[in-house]
Amino acid sequence: MISTGASLSQRLLHVGFILMVFAIAVPVVAGQKIELSVDVSKAGAKIDRNIFGQFAEHLGHGIYEGIWVGPDSTIPNTRGIRNDVVAALKALKVPNVRWPGGCFADEYHWRKGIGPQRAVSLNPNWGGVIESNVFGTHEFMDFLDQIGSDAYISINVGSGTPQEAAEWLEYMTAAQPTTLAKERAANGHPAPYKVGYLGIGNESWDCGGNMTPDYYLSQLKVYNRFVRNFNPAQQDKQRMLKIAVGPGGGGPEWTDWTETVMKAWQHHHWSWDIDGLSMHFYTVVRWPASFASAGFGETEYSQILKSTLEMEDLVRTHSAIMDKYDPQKKVAVVVDEWGAWYAPLAGSNPGFLVQQNSLRDAILAVLNLNIFARHADRVRMANIAQMINVLQAMIMTDKDKMVLTPTYYVFKMYVPFQDSTFVPVTFEPGTYTHGNISLPRVDAIAARDSAGRLWLEITNLDPNQPVEIEASLSGFVARSAAGETLTAPKVDSVNTFEVPNAVMPKSITAKLQGGKLALRLEPKSVTVISVEP
Ligand code: AHR
């Protein structure tokens, strides 16, 4: 996250307040015309499906109640895992899930979460509540199997040891009959698990141990050397990718961190290597997080969107440093915590990071995903924080009820972009101004999928004016076009348990004429169009 000097505990002490703003109704006038030029012959990098990754931490109701209800629950479940949540997540084709944290990971001791008797501990980072450890390694892997996703395991560098982390990986991945592999089998899983991604620490510059870059680097090398994946199926092409802790902002302390790790990596010895450098950036404007997640107006809408666009600079800044030491872009930027962080909802435990999710968050998600897509050659993985009931969630649950958020619908609309090929779009975005904030009126990306279809995403940030889009398509003969748009009456429209379908995609008509695509974007809307060759 961007650091402004406030510690995590200072941030958590803040209970939040609601900023009251009265929106001024502006009459809708004829839309401004914006021309896009899509050149399919100039296809770029692959948009890695992993940029649509999720993050599930032992925090609030992210795991317990959100995923895990236990096999004896009256809520329909499979081996304790909620069926409604699994079905919703399957539709997103979630590529990977980062677990068990976050800050939680650097205090997680995996042995407490295996076997018939689970040690009960505390979760000091997040509300100081009891951690039953009932959801552990086997339950997480079962959850991944059910939703069809890969494991991104964050190991404990802060308060653990290399031996503890090495043994966890042996427990999960060894195929040979070692004592740990036999223990795994006795606990119900004879076959080795696959671990696709390994995070070596989390925010080691802050909650992960307040390390200096040099100290972290020495830890990174040791963990890197000894924490091995033994799964025979992962020794070659599907080998586990290792991700080092990276920056949490763009200032000198963060560029220094990236410099330190990447400079060392450039001349790295055979005994250690990394495939990714993590980056965390929350859209918060200032700490402690104080923006309301619902009940806000256009001022907060424009402030938050302006703030989220800082992601572009962060990616550029750190990519430029990485380019010096890794011009072939072997090491990916992994934005494994991103999203909006608002004031906790009134009445919620402030340590549980509960917030609403509005149309504004859908637009915020799109702006970030589009930045990642435009930097697809370097940004090859990302994890929105967090999957269920925490921060910018896909899903919110309340006992047996579940609601899908506007952010969920964005991830669903973007499924066709997973592993597609980036196609450049050039356009003059126009300007949307509110008070002293000016933003691009329109954002857009395009991609081609493996079936040859062209996908176009266009966002109208302006909450008051529609936009007429005319897209010329070069290097592509279009036969038909169809699409969906996501909008709602207000920038802070939300889906609730009572009214779950207030913000949902609906179909939109796009006209094809003379090789051009014409469509009208509603104010504050996200639109995805598929164009058939
Ligand atoms: O996502 C919530 C917290 O934010 C994570 O645990 C931590 O890594 C970051 O500070």
Side-chain angles (χ1 to χ4, degrees):
M1 70 188 66
I2 288 258
S3 168
T4 54
S7 71
L8 184 74
S9 51
Q10 278 172 304
R11 281 184 255 138
L12 294 178
L13 277 175
H14 180 78
V15 178
F17 61 91
I18 308 245
L19 211 53
M20 296 294 293
V21 169
F22 298 94
I24 299 162
V26 178
V28 171
V29 297
Q32 182 189 344
K33 187 165 171 186
I34 292 194
E35 292 179 2
L36 309 183
S37 180
V38 184
D39 192 349
V40 183
S41 65
K42 296 209 177 88
K46 180 175 91 168
I47 300 175
D48 199 309
R49 62 196 289 267
N50 279 314
I51 70 166
F52 302 94
Q54 302 282 334
F55 174 32
E57 178 166 16
H58 286 239
L59 192 177
H61 296 303
I63 302 285
Y64 300 109
E65 298 189 23
I67 295 173
W68 180 260
V69 287
D72 300 329
S73 171
T74 53
I75 299 170
N77 69 84
T78 302
R79 294 180 294 279
I81 294 164
R82 297 180 74 122
N83 293 345
D84 53 356
V85 164
V86 166
L89 291 172
K90 270 170 105 167
L92 297 188
K93 299 192 188 305
V94 178
N96 71 83
V97 182
R98 180 171 182 250
W99 177 83
C103 299
F104 181 84
D106 277 302
E107 295 188 65
Y108 184 61
H109 300 285
W110 66 275
R111 291 208 72 94
K112 294 183 181 173
I114 57 161
Q117 296 300 326
R118 305 289 168 99
V120 175
S121 49
L122 290 173
N123 190 336
N125 282 298
W126 306 118
V129 294
I130 288 279
E131 167 57 57
S132 67
N133 285 301
V134 166
F135 190 92
T137 304
H138 290 258
E139 292 74 22
F140 175 62
M141 293 296 190
D142 189 11
F143 168 63
L144 293 185
D145 269 359
Q146 292 189 35
I147 66 168
S149 194
D150 285 344
Y152 176 9
I153 299 282
S154 263
I155 51 171
N156 180 345
V157 171
S159 68
T161 62
Q163 182 182 358
E164 182 189 13
E167 288 179 356
W168 191 14
L169 265 286
E170 184 190 326
Y171 177 85
M172 288 190 280
T173 64
Q176 287 163 291
T178 68
T179 302
L180 283 167
K182 284 196 216 162
E183 191 178 0
R184 183 192 65 232
N187 287 332
H189 207 275
Y193 289 118
K194 277 193 182 164
V195 177
Y197 310 92
L198 188 80
I200 303 177
N202 169 74
E203 296 192 355
S204 303
W205 29 263
D206 189 18
C207 72
N210 276 297
M211 300 174 192
T212 62
D214 286 329
Y215 184 81
Y216 173 73
L217 181 62
S218 63
Q219 296 290 300
L220 171 69
K221 290 178 182 172
V222 173
Y223 277 79
N224 213 297
R225 170 83 183 102
F226 298 114
V227 182
R228 297 182 172 97
N229 185 320
F230 295 103
N231 190 323
Q234 293 198 266
Q235 300 311 306
D236 186 15
K237 277 193 183 146
Q238 294 186 44
R239 78 182 170 82
M240 179 177 76
L241 303 185
K242 295 182 177 180
I243 297 155
V245 169
E253 77 263 46
W254 306 119
T255 50
D256 185 33
W257 188 284
T258 301
E259 283 275 350
T260 304
V261 175
M262 290 307 297
K263 197 172 176 183
W265 177 83
Q266 185 184 29
H267 302 293
H268 72 92
H269 201 241
W270 65 269
S271 57
W272 76 280
D273 196 359
I274 56 171
D275 304 283
L277 184 71
S278 139
M279 188 169 102
H280 289 184
F281 173 62
Y282 284 100
T283 302
V284 64
V285 180
R286 58 182 167 267
W287 298 107
S290 55
F291 274 61
S293 57
F296 57 86
E298 193 174 342
T299 300
E300 295 83 352
Y301 169 81
S302 54
Q303 285 172 326
I304 285 290
L305 294 189
K306 179 171 186 275
S307 169
T308 215
L309 288 171
E310 288 169 25
M311 180 68 88
E312 172 71 30
D313 274 354
L314 287 193
V315 170
R316 276 185 195 283
T317 300
H318 293 286
S319 298
I321 298 170
M322 294 170 82
D323 285 349
K324 278 197 296 182
Y325 303 111
D326 173 27
Q328 291 178 297
K329 300 186 195 293
K330 288 186 177 165
V331 179
V333 165
V334 176
V335 191
D336 54 12
E337 285 187 32
W338 67 274
W341 189 322
Y342 302 126
L345 280 190
S348 68
N349 181 335
F352 283 12
L353 310 186
V354 183
Q355 62 190 43
Q356 250 302 356
N357 195 296
S358 68
L359 179 66
R360 176 179 64 183
D361 297 307
I363 293 175
L364 180 156
V366 162
L367 295 177
N368 282 279
L369 292 170
N370 290 359
I371 291 168
F372 303 155
R374 280 192 280 267
H375 292 277
D377 56 349
R378 182 66 86 176
V379 180
R380 300 197 286 272
M381 190 156 163
N383 301 76
I384 189 167
Q386 299 194 2
M387 189 159 58
I388 305 164
N389 292 329
V390 177
L391 298 177
Q392 189 172 347
M394 304 291 116
I395 296 175
M396 296 171 83
T397 64
D398 180 18
K399 302 192 178 65
D400 60 335
K401 286 181 271 182
M402 176 186 86
V403 68
L404 306 176
T405 66
T407 303
Y408 173 92
Y409 288 114
V410 164
F411 273 69
K412 186 133 184 272
M413 291 164 81
Y414 269 71
V415 166
F417 288 88
Q418 293 196 11
D419 280 349
S420 63
T421 305
F422 183 80
V423 168
V425 187
T426 44
F427 57 102
E428 170 47 57
T431 310
Y432 152 59
T433 302
H434 181 76
N436 60 1
I437 292 187
S438 286
L439 298 168
R441 181 180 295 270
V442 160
D443 192 44
I445 60 159
R448 203 157 184 197
D449 69 17
S450 55
R453 270 183 301 258
L454 177 67
W455 293 88
L456 197 56
E457 188 290 319
I458 322 167
T459 300
N460 180 6
L461 280 73
D462 192 321
N464 307 307
Q465 313 289 341
V467 173
E468 302 293 340
I469 296 290
E470 189 177 272
S472 58
L473 313 176
S474 322
F476 190 85
V477 180
R479 287 188 206 291
S480 63
E484 283 193 317
T485 196
L486 184 73
T487 187
K490 298 192 298 162
V491 285
D492 68 335
S493 292
V494 297
N495 291 334
T496 61
F497 297 110
E498 296 71 37
V499 186
N501 299 333
V503 192
M504 273 192 86
K506 59 182 186 198
S507 54
I508 185 173
T509 317
K511 281 189 218 140
L512 273 171
Q513 250 174 3
K516 288 190 173 173
L517 184 73
L519 68 150
R520 183 174 197 266
L521 303 179
E522 291 186 41
K524 50 180 166 20
S525 63
V526 171
T527 301
V528 172
I529 303 285
S530 84
V531 191
E532 298 286 333

